[in-house]
């Protein structure tokens, strides 16, 4: 099924939603800018289903792998690029995010695209490349504001490593900021008043720096952090490729931003918010392990094994619709009713192609009077909402009474309660 915020993504990307309602809902419900949901709205004209939105994440993930080849070629030879490509392809965090109907997978793609625009500008700064970089910066900021870390890193790189372009890039930098503010004024105003978020700053952050999540496990995350740290230090001693310092600046600025924003504004210690760091981290790891072939082969093998082991090992499991289908007897009725507190979850049940392929029919509350039997599906304190601690559940949530109907069958399944209702006057 969907996480709750995935259900909001489905709700906000409804292609039939009027523009005015669309913007109001985005500003009220979600912290991501409207641009992401607007692109999804266009994509959903193909098919407005939860599965179609998830397909968009898979498409962006594939494009990320392809475009990363171009990114790595700025720093690595062909053989080293192959190693980096294998590592990013098997990165478990990117795989996990590709299975979600959320923004992170597309963020990585657009971040790498912006990297390449900057590298081309760095190689040859003319009017064409300057305009392309400006447009890329404005788009990146409008799509995902935390990508401001990339734009700031660009400026820092120019100041410290390429003063010749300082005047020209200053124009690009400030033009990007001004255009972004003008184009996103309403979004910025709506978000400035928000003072709470998820992901409070805790001491453990200063131990793992998202590496546990980025690489799937404590052991492999810690191992990767050690290798990355060695590579990070080594780069400062070897100045053969100045462009690689852009990645160093990006990582430093991003982590400083995480800490300062979380301390002074609101907690944002959430790995997926900074998923755009993964290509730069993998680049630095690749640079250091390619000193010895044995290191390369060992790290590649560990990466693949780690990914296979934890491929579907989420800490909190989503409800599985297959559990439901095993207990729904369509010979009795194919109608079902859902009445969740969060309306977007109803939108999920109403639009899921998986449910429709199983020949189940979603019934609205006002349609119940026209049918004799239906299944009531209740999310019965699923792990994704309450975690492993079932003590916090409200035992009355799924014990509903529906006028003129009686319960004739009830079954508690993992994460669900299934109830068959029948009209009282049926004999």
């Amino acid at each position: 099924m969907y996480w709750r915020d995935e259900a909001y993504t489905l709700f906000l990307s409804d292609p039939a939603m009027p523009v005015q309602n669309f913007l109001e809902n985005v500003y009220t419900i979600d912290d991501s800018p409207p641009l992401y949901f607007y692109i999804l709205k266009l994509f959903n004209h193909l098919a407005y289903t939860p599965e179609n939105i998830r397909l968009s994440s898979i498409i962006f993930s594939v494009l990320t792998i392809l475009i990363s080849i171009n990114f790595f070629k700025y720093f690595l030879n062909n053989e080293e690029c192959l190693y980096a490509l294998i590592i990013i392809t098997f990165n478990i965090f990117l795989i996990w995010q590709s299975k979600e109907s959320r923004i992170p997978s597309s963020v990585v793609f657009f971040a790498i695209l912006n990297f390449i625009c900057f590298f081309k500008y760095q190689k040859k700064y003319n009017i064409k490349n300057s305009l392309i970089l400006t447009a890329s910066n404005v788009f990146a900021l409008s799509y995902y504001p935390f990508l401001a870390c990339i734009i700031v890193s660009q400026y820092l790189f120019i100041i410290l490593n390429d003063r010749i372009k300082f005047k020209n890039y200053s124009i690009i930098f400030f033009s990007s900021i001004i255009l972004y503010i003008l184009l996103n004024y309403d979004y910025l105003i709506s978000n400035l008043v928000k003072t709470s978020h998820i992901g409070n700053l805790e001491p453990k952050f200063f131990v793992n720096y998202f590496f546990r999540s980025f690489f799937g496990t404590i052991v492999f995350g810690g191992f990767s952090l050690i290798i990355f740290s060695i590579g990070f230090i080594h780069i400062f001693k070897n100045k053969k490729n100045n462009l690689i310092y852009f990645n160093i600046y990006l990582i430093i600025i991003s982590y400083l931003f995480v800490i300062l924003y979380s301390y002074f504004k609101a907690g944002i210690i959430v790995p997926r918010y900074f998923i755009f760091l993964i290509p730069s981290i993998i680049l630095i790891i690749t640079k250091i392990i390619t000193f010895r072939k044995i290191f390369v082969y060992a790290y590649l093998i560990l990466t693949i094994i780690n990914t296979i082991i934890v491929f579907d090992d989420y800490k909190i499991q989503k409800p599985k619709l297959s559990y439901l289908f095993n207990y729904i007897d369509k010979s009795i009725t194919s109608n079902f009713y859902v009445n969740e507190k969060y309306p977007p979850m109803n939108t999920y049940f109403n639009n899921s192609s998986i449910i429709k392929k199983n020949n189940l029919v979603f019934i609205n509350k006002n349609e119940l009077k026209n049918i004799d039997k239906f299944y009531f599906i209740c999310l019965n304190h699923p792990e994704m909402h309450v975690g492993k601690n079932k003590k916090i559940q409200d035992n009355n949530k799924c014990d509903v009474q529906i006028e003129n109907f009686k319960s004739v069958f009830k079954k508690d399944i993992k994460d669900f309660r299934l109830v068959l209702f029948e009209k009282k006057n049926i004999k």
Side-chain angles (χ1 to χ4, degrees):
M1 273 188 60
Y2 261 15
W3 300 115
R4 185 179 296 167
D5 55 350
E6 288 182 283
Y8 282 129
T9 300
L10 177 68
F11 172 72
L12 292 171
S13 60
D14 184 350
M17 187 185 297
V19 174
Q20 187 57 41
N21 293 345
F22 164 71
L23 291 174
E24 290 176 0
N25 286 329
V26 170
Y27 295 152
T28 303
I29 295 173
D30 205 279
D31 294 325
S32 297
L35 183 56
Y36 166 64
F37 299 105
Y38 184 73
I39 292 174
L40 278 184
K41 276 170 67 73
L42 298 177
F43 186 74
N44 284 343
H45 279 290
L46 298 174
Y48 182 47
T49 67
E51 293 74 27
N52 191 55
I53 298 179
R54 191 166 285 161
L55 175 62
S56 72
S57 295
I58 294 171
I59 291 172
F60 273 115
S61 294
V62 173
L63 292 175
T64 295
I65 293 172
L66 297 177
I67 200 173
S68 68
I69 298 172
N70 199 321
F71 167 72
F72 290 129
K73 280 185 176 179
Y74 280 94
F75 309 97
L76 307 170
N77 61 39
N78 289 339
E79 185 178 356
E80 292 169 341
C81 279
L82 177 61
Y83 300 145
L85 184 63
I86 294 173
I87 295 171
I88 200 169
T89 300
F90 281 90
N91 179 267
I92 189 60
F93 194 70
L94 295 181
I95 292 173
W96 281 341
Q97 295 305 313
S98 73
K99 297 158 71 176
E100 308 285 352
S101 297
R102 294 191 288 204
I103 196 173
S105 289
S106 57
V107 167
V108 188
F109 171 77
F110 288 121
I112 295 177
L113 186 62
N114 184 265
F115 294 161
I116 294 171
C117 290
F118 176 66
F119 298 160
K120 287 184 176 180
Y121 165 82
Q122 176 63 21
K123 187 176 181 179
K124 184 178 182 181
Y125 76 109
N126 51 28
I127 294 177
K128 176 185 174 181
N129 286 341
S130 297
L131 290 175
I132 291 174
L133 180 57
T134 302
S136 177
N137 286 350
V138 174
F139 180 88
L141 290 170
S142 300
Y143 193 80
Y144 195 71
F146 287 174
L147 293 182
C149 295
I150 297 177
I151 284 76
V152 174
S153 301
Q154 293 174 7
Y155 206 5
L156 182 60
F157 179 86
I158 295 295
I159 292 171
L160 297 179
N161 296 85
D162 199 353
R163 294 282 297 181
I164 295 175
K165 300 185 180 73
F166 176 74
K167 183 177 179 180
N168 181 272
Y169 185 81
S170 294
I171 296 173
I172 294 174
F173 180 84
F174 290 107
S175 296
S176 300
I177 299 298
I178 292 169
L179 286 171
Y180 167 67
I181 293 173
L182 292 175
L183 292 171
N184 297 271
Y185 180 78
D186 291 339
Y187 167 75
L188 290 171
I189 293 300
S190 70
N191 273 263
L192 284 174
V193 298
K194 296 179 180 178
T195 57
S196 62
H197 215 290
I198 61 173
N200 293 328
L201 183 62
E202 298 178 353
K204 65 181 180 181
F205 169 76
F206 298 97
V207 176
N208 71 79
Y209 297 98
F210 298 144
F211 272 68
R212 176 180 180 179
S213 296
F214 285 168
F215 294 91
T217 61
I218 295 176
V219 174
F220 191 59
F223 180 61
S224 298
L225 179 57
I226 292 171
I227 295 174
F228 167 80
S229 301
I230 295 171
F232 192 90
I233 295 170
H234 176 78
I235 287 171
F236 278 109
K237 298 179 180 179
N238 187 347
K239 298 184 179 181
K240 290 182 180 180
N241 188 342
N242 283 339
L243 190 55
I244 201 169
Y245 279 87
F246 166 78
N247 298 277
I248 297 293
Y249 301 150
L250 173 61
I251 292 167
I252 293 173
I253 287 172
S254 298
Y255 281 121
L256 284 175
F257 175 74
V258 171
I259 295 167
L260 295 175
Y261 193 96
S262 296
Y263 185 80
F264 291 105
K265 175 78 172 165
I268 52 171
I269 309 297
V270 182
R272 68 176 183 271
Y273 291 175
F274 297 88
I275 192 172
F276 56 86
L277 293 177
I278 291 179
S280 295
I281 290 172
I282 288 175
L283 169 64
I284 293 172
I285 289 175
T286 304
K287 288 290 287 185
I288 194 65
I289 63 174
T290 49
F291 278 99
R292 294 285 186 275
K293 285 288 180 70
I294 186 64
F295 296 157
V296 176
Y297 297 148
Y299 192 81
L300 291 180
I301 291 171
L302 289 174
T303 297
I304 294 171
I305 292 174
N306 178 74
T307 296
I308 291 173
I309 291 174
V310 300
F311 182 79
D312 201 27
D313 186 25
Y314 291 94
K315 295 178 183 177
I316 301 296
Q317 296 290 324
K318 297 180 186 179
K320 295 186 182 297
L321 289 175
S322 57
Y323 295 162
L324 269 179
F325 299 151
N326 291 334
Y327 292 93
I328 291 179
D329 186 350
K330 285 177 286 188
S331 65
I332 299 175
T333 179
S334 60
N335 299 318
F336 74 96
Y337 168 61
V338 180
N339 186 27
E340 286 299 310
K341 178 181 178 181
Y342 299 93
M345 292 306 299
N346 293 347
T347 305
Y348 171 85
F349 282 100
N350 189 27
N351 290 278
S352 171
S353 61
I354 294 176
I355 291 176
K356 290 177 181 178
K357 284 179 181 178
N358 278 269
N359 299 315
L360 296 175
V361 181
F362 180 85
I363 302 297
N364 292 316
K365 188 173 184 179
N366 58 2
E367 297 176 307
L368 294 179
K369 60 185 177 182
N370 300 322
I371 58 176
D372 295 327
K373 299 177 182 178
F374 64 91
Y375 286 103
F376 171 61
I377 297 175
C378 176
L379 282 170
N380 191 20
H381 317 289
E383 282 185 21
M384 68 176 184
H385 290 172
V386 302
K388 301 290 187 180
N389 183 10
K390 294 292 184 178
K391 294 181 180 179
I392 65 174
Q393 67 183 355
D394 174 10
N395 290 318
N396 296 320
K397 178 180 182 293
C398 297
D399 291 331
V400 298
Q401 301 295 322
I402 298 179
E403 188 177 1
N404 298 323
F405 283 89
K406 61 182 178 180
S407 168
V408 295
F409 170 81
K410 183 184 296 184
K411 179 68 177 180
D412 283 332
I413 315 163
K414 181 176 173 11
D415 298 324
F416 295 104
R417 175 171 292 178
L418 183 67
V419 184
L420 176 63
F421 279 96
E422 182 181 274
K423 270 191 176 176
K424 291 181 178 178
N425 58 357
I426 292 182
K427 297 183 180 178

